[in-house]
Amino acid sequence: MTSPGPVTFGLLLPSRELAMYPPHDGDPRRLVAWAVRAEELGFDVAWIGDSLLAKPRAEPLSVLAAVAAATERIDLGTAVLLASMRSAEQLAQQAATVDALSGGRLILGVGAGPPGAEVNTDFDLVGADYGRRGTRMMEIVHRARELWRAEGTPAQQRLQPVCVSEGGPRLWLGGSGPRGLERAGRHFDGWFPTAPAVDAFADQLATVRSHAADAGRDPASIAAAAYLTVNIGEPDTAAAEVAEHAMLYYGVQIEVLRRIMGTKSGTADDIAAWLQSYIDAGCQHICIRLASPNVDIQLGRLVEILPALRR
């Protein structure tokens, strides 16, 4: 299946990488500068990830508030935010604030959270129930939408600021398990998996859209996205950097990571062909993470291959 319109591209801001690689300071001002650069280079979305101490980094909505003030056009997104580690009311207010600051450019990507002891510990730190994280995420999403829509609520009691986006920011769901596919189709504006294999992505997208049809929704209204990791360069060097990135970021060998996340290293032609395969499978938006300590070099190589993919 071919994507019905021009594909869009997002850059994942290297919030985790700033803590992984020297000088290990996690300086969020550099993330704002990269977002401004991404806008100048024609990217459609600046994305940022979320974790507490499992994978230390800057808090995403705080960074996006600064990005909103420094940019004019580019959309801003969380890839993905662990909603069930937050209260519904506070998250709704934070998201509404970023949406208002950006003039309606926020995409709130959310996920239940991956399995793992480190993530479980993060939930414990904030007093959240790791075992109910998927169910709690949906409760928070529904409550946030109630607050954003404020149906029947007197004006003086409405959440402030009011979202620029009617009914609240766009909500995308990360995840590709059976429950996640059903939830994406029935309740979300977009589906946003890590997509380890293009054939599985195509099959799962069909499942998401089938669930949407069953729920009486227009299947085509759900944005189909993918979160993909790349390193562009001489094959041996690129492969070594991706392997190092996997170990620093997740503490696993690259062969393990490739089974759960779409990851590719190689020449510009190799990467372009790989990204094109997702577009041909129906992907409408690709969020790209650059697996390298040299983000600026990788960014320069990436922008050279995007014009052909956009066509």
Side-chain angles (χ1 to χ4, degrees):
M1 181 176 107
T2 301
S3 184
V7 67
T8 59
F9 290 94
L11 177 69
L12 186 77
L13 301 177
S15 60
R16 176 65 185 127
E17 286 76 5
L18 288 183
M20 283 166 37
Y21 297 114
H24 306 290
D25 60 4
D27 186 353
R29 294 169 295 182
R30 296 174 64 193
L31 300 174
V32 178
W34 267 310
V36 171
R37 181 65 175 147
E39 181 172 71
E40 293 170 348
L41 291 172
F43 283 88
D44 301 285
V45 188
W47 295 99
I48 187 168
D50 179 37
S51 61
L52 191 56
L53 295 182
K55 302 175 185 67
R57 67 181 88 193
E59 198 283 318
L61 289 172
S62 302
V63 173
L64 293 184
V67 172
T71 57
E72 297 180 356
R73 174 197 58 81
I74 197 167
D75 281 344
L76 320 173
T78 52
V80 291
L81 184 136
L82 302 183
S84 51
M85 285 179 57
R86 295 158 167 88
S87 79
E89 290 74 16
Q90 288 175 320
L91 177 57
Q93 184 188 42
Q94 289 175 311
T97 301
V98 176
D99 190 68
L101 284 168
S102 66
R105 290 183 280 143
L106 178 63
I107 303 172
L108 193 62
V110 300
E118 291 179 338
V119 179
N120 195 340
T121 299
D122 272 0
F123 275 72
D124 288 342
L125 285 171
V126 299
D129 188 342
Y130 178 78
R132 293 188 69 251
R133 63 194 185 279
T135 300
R136 180 61 180 151
M137 175 190 70
M138 294 307 302
E139 293 171 352
I140 289 170
V141 164
H142 292 314
R143 174 58 177 153
R145 280 179 163 156
E146 288 178 353
L147 290 165
W148 293 329
R149 292 167 180 163
E151 295 172 350
T153 303
Q156 66 271 24
Q157 296 177 13
R158 289 194 65 180
L159 186 72
Q160 294 292 331
V162 175
C163 289
V164 173
S165 304
E166 184 176 356
R170 291 159 286 177
L171 280 166
W172 290 14
L173 180 66
S176 54
R179 291 292 302 279
L181 299 179
E182 181 178 3
R183 286 167 172 161
R186 290 182 172 274
H187 303 290
F188 286 83
D189 305 304
W191 174 58
F192 196 25
T194 54
V198 68
D199 290 344
F201 172 84
D203 290 343
Q204 290 165 357
L205 176 57
T207 300
V208 168
R209 290 185 165 155
S210 176
H211 285 304
D214 290 344
R217 305 179 67 200
D218 177 6
S221 69
I222 301 170
Y227 176 123
L228 303 176
T229 300
V230 306
N231 185 296
I232 305 170
E234 186 277 324
D236 289 344
T237 301
E241 287 196 352
V242 164
E244 178 189 43
H245 186 272
M247 185 56 66
L248 289 173
Y249 202 113
Y250 297 104
V252 300
Q253 299 292 330
I254 185 60
E255 294 79 8
V256 175
L257 187 66
R258 285 197 174 108
R259 292 200 288 268
I260 57 175
M261 303 190 78
T263 306
K264 181 74 172 177
S265 62
T267 66
D269 287 345
D270 293 334
I271 301 301
W274 185 66
L275 295 175
Q276 185 64 55
S277 70
Y278 283 88
I279 297 168
D280 292 342
C283 190
Q284 298 162 312
H285 177 80
I286 299 177
C287 166
I288 297 177
R289 176 172 60 178
L290 299 169
S292 171
N294 302 307
V295 173
D296 289 323
I297 292 174
Q298 287 292 313
L299 187 56
R301 294 170 181 170
L302 176 62
V303 296
E304 291 181 358
I305 68 174
L306 294 187
L309 294 171
R310 290 183 186 278
R311 292 194 293 268

